[in-house]
């Protein structure tokens, strides 16, 4: 079986390629370049990443192809990213990047090369599952729960999953580094990348200002409409944000202590006003229900209503018991058993049944 591995220059995709090679697959590598606007060494590590990929491929004896998907990334991911911020929401570009670039542009290219499947270094799993007379490909959580990335893959469909391998599904990160070191791969101790998918780690507000000009307005208290300060643009802030408001030291109300921090609670787009509350546990930051739009159910059919599932309204939160109701093709409502902190429009809510990722949608 011919497998093309998407390699980023990191230890995870390198070990994914190694494991497939050891398992007897016909493996080749593909490196994606997806950002060109300011591809310099300060924030973008593209050049060094490509050097690292080439080095790993040399050790493993893999053919390497470099493909530029910058136009696809700008058209399919970055344009939507800017539109969402401009509308006052907080998108997750990594999720769109997976569904549009890594598992669409890359997958289409690999299949044209004659590949049977693609593989990535994501911490997730896929299995073929039959029940009720139908067969489907399921997206699973990774064995290493601290690294599980199924949240970022919930927009994948049956066609994409049927052509995908996740070699790290049952391996812990600590063991991945050991496997890489034992194989003589110099990336065994390379730092994990963070930041926006393909854009890298950089001062985010300054980066966004290059594409969305400032639009100053007032910061006011949600509780009593007091003027607290000034913001440079609603798009530079997100629900639950504490840092960067520059309104510390202003006394709040009965909900919080005198010196408790202020948090972004809402955005008034019509008035261009940022609304803040004092105290992490303020009631305005707690919600038990949300509406989700742009739904994607991986198995091709919606989950059951009035049934207990778990869901994650952001990547770093633990799974929380919930029920789905008011479900139709366009949207649904999700009711949590316990209040969720700082539910944020534009972010994704992802639904699980045990280890199976069912899909999800965008928080409206």
């Amino acid at each position: 079986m011919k497998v093309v591995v998407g390699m980023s220059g990191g230890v995870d995709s390198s070990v994914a390629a190694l494991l497939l090679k050891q398992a007897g697959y016909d493996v080749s590598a593909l490196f994606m370049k997806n950002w060109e606007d300011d591809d310099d060494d300060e924030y973008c590590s593209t050049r060094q990443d490509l050097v690292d990929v080439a080095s790993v491929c040399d050790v493993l004896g893999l053919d390497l192809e470099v493909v530029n998907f910058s136009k696809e990334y700008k058209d399919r991911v970055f344009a939507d990213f800017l539109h969402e911020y401009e509308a006052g929401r907080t998108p997750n570009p990594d999720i769109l990047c997976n569904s549009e670039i890594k598992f669409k542009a890359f997958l289409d290219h690999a299949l044209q090369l004659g590949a049977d499947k693609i593989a990535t270094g994501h911490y997730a799993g896929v299995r073929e599952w039959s029940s009720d007379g139908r067969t489907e490909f399921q997206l699973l959580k990774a064995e290493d729960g601290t690294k599980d990335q199924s949240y970022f893959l919930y927009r994948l469909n049956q066609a994409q999953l049927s052509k995908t391998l996740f070699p790290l599904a049952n391996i812990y990160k600590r063991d991945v580094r050991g496997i890489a070191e034992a194989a003589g791969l110099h990336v065994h101790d390379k730092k994990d990348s963070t930041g926006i998918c393909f854009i890298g780690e950089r001062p985010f507000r300054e980066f966004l200002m290059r594409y969305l000009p400032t639009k100053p307005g007032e910061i006011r208290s949600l509780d009593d409409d007091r003027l607290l300060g000034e913001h440079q643009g609603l798009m530079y802030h997100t629900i639950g944000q504490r840092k960067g408001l520059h309104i510390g030291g202003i006394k709040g109300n009965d909900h919080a202590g005198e010196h408790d921090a202020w948090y972004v609670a809402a955005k008034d787009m019509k008035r261009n006003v940022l609304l803040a509350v004092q105290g992490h546990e303020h009631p305005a930051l707690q919600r038990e229900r949300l509406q989700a739009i742009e739904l994607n159910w991986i198995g091709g059919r919606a989950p059951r209503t009035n049934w207990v599932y778990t869901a994650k309204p952001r990547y770093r939160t633990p799974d929380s018991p919930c029920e789905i109701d008011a479900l139709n093709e366009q949207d649904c409502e999700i009711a949590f058993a316990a209040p969720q902190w700082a539910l944020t429009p534009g972010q994704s809510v992802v639904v699980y049944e045990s280890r199976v990722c069912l899909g999800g949608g965008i928080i409206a």
Side-chain angles (χ1 to χ4, degrees), residues 66-84:
V66 180
V67 180
N68 192 323
F69 290 133
S70 297
K71 183 181 185 304
E72 289 85 348
Y73 182 85
K74 207 155 195 179
D75 291 346
R76 301 182 192 177
V77 179
F78 195 63
D80 180 83
F81 169 85
L82 292 180
H83 177 267
E84 287 294 285

Side-chain angles (χ1 to χ4, degrees), residues 295-308:
L295 305 177
N296 181 70
W297 304 116
I298 294 171
R301 56 179 173 178
R304 287 177 280 188
T305 56
N306 303 313
W307 189 265
V308 178

Side-chain angles (χ1 to χ4, degrees), residues 141 148 310-313 315 317-321 336 340 350-352 354:
K141 288 183 178 182
D148 173 57
T310 60
K312 295 166 74 76
Y315 175 53
T317 58
D319 291 23
S320 300
F336 289 92
Q340 302 297 301
V350 180
V351 180
Y352 294 87
S354 187

Side-chain angles (χ1 to χ4, degrees), residues 7-11 13-14 31 48-50 52-53 56 186-187 190:
M7 295 186 65
S8 65
V11 65
S13 57
S14 298
F31 179 83
Q48 184 57 51
D49 290 340
L50 179 54
D52 290 337
V53 170
V56 170
H186 77 283
V187 295
K190 184 176 179 179

Side-chain angles (χ1 to χ4, degrees), residues 13-307:
S13 57
S14 298
V15 169
L18 168 64
L19 294 174
L20 290 170
K21 178 94 174 181
Q22 291 176 339
Y25 290 96
D26 179 1
V27 182
S28 61
L30 185 141
F31 179 83
M32 291 171 261
K33 178 176 173 61
N34 298 315
W35 186 253
E36 289 189 321
D37 276 23
D38 58 349
D39 188 6
D40 54 54
D41 291 330
E42 183 178 6
Y43 298 125
C44 287
S45 55
T46 304
R47 279 186 286 275
Q48 184 57 51
D49 290 340
L50 179 54
V51 169
D52 290 337
V53 170
S55 172
V56 170
C57 287
D58 189 49
V59 173
L60 300 181
L62 304 181
D63 291 334
L64 170 63
E65 181 186 12
V66 180
V67 180
N68 192 323
F69 290 133
S70 297
K71 183 181 185 304
E72 289 85 348
Y73 182 85
K74 207 155 195 179
D75 291 346
R76 301 182 192 177
V77 179
F78 195 63
D80 180 83
F81 169 85
L82 292 180
H83 177 267
E84 287 294 285
Y85 268 105
E86 200 166 22
R89 295 181 286 269
T90 305
N92 193 317
D94 290 353
I95 290 172
L96 198 56
C97 181
N98 280 327
S99 62
E100 293 296 329
I101 305 300
K102 294 179 182 176
F103 295 88
K104 187 171 286 185
F106 165 41
L107 175 58
D108 290 345
H109 183 83
L111 294 177
Q112 289 172 4
L113 295 177
D116 297 299
K117 302 219 176 192
I118 62 168
T120 69
H122 284 97
Y123 286 85
V126 61
R127 72 178 177 189
E128 192 171 354
W129 184 258
S130 296
S131 66
D132 301 329
R134 68 192 298 270
T135 300
E136 67 181 74
F137 289 88
Q138 294 182 330
L139 176 65
L140 305 178
K141 288 183 178 182
E143 181 68 25
D144 188 344
T146 64
K147 289 294 181 180
D148 173 57
Q149 292 173 303
S150 60
Y151 176 91
F152 297 106
L153 301 169
Y154 84 91
R155 298 197 73 82
L156 300 189
N157 58 37
Q158 290 294 290
Q160 292 165 320
L161 280 179
S162 71
K163 297 292 184 182
T164 300
L165 298 174
F166 294 119
L168 305 186
N170 299 310
I171 302 179
Y172 283 79
K173 179 68 178 225
R174 62 177 181 269
D175 297 325
V176 165
R177 293 197 180 278
I179 292 169
E181 185 174 19
L185 304 182
H186 77 283
V187 295
H188 69 87
D189 60 354
K190 184 176 179 179
K191 181 184 174 185
D192 289 341
S193 63
T194 58
I196 303 172
C197 181
F198 293 117
I199 297 176
E201 299 179 63
R202 60 180 73 227
F204 184 68
R205 184 179 300 189
E206 288 81 351
F207 172 74
L208 205 56
M209 283 180 177
R210 288 165 38 190
Y211 300 92
L212 301 176
T214 59
K215 189 180 178 182
E218 297 173 339
I219 303 176
R220 289 188 171 272
S221 166
L222 179 69
D223 292 310
D224 55 20
D225 206 39
R226 268 186 304 148
L227 181 63
L228 302 174
E230 185 180 81
H231 66 81
Q232 294 303 305
L234 295 179
M235 55 279 199
Y236 309 137
H237 298 279
T238 188
I239 306 301
Q241 178 182 336
R242 178 173 65 87
K243 296 181 179 179
L245 298 180
H246 307 298
I247 55 174
I250 299 177
K251 187 175 179 179
N253 51 42
D254 295 338
H255 287 304
E258 182 175 348
H259 301 293
D260 281 3
W262 288 86
Y263 295 84
V264 173
K267 300 178 183 182
D268 186 331
M269 300 301 292
K270 289 184 178 179
R271 293 195 299 157
N272 191 30
V273 171
L274 193 67
L275 297 166
V277 296
Q278 193 176 30
H280 186 276
E281 302 307 314
H282 191 286
L285 293 172
Q286 311 287 334
R287 293 280 187 276
E288 291 183 354
R289 296 181 68 87
L290 62 80
Q291 180 195 26
I293 58 175
E294 298 182 33
L295 305 177
N296 181 70
W297 304 116
I298 294 171
R301 56 179 173 178
R304 287 177 280 188
T305 56
N306 303 313
W307 189 265

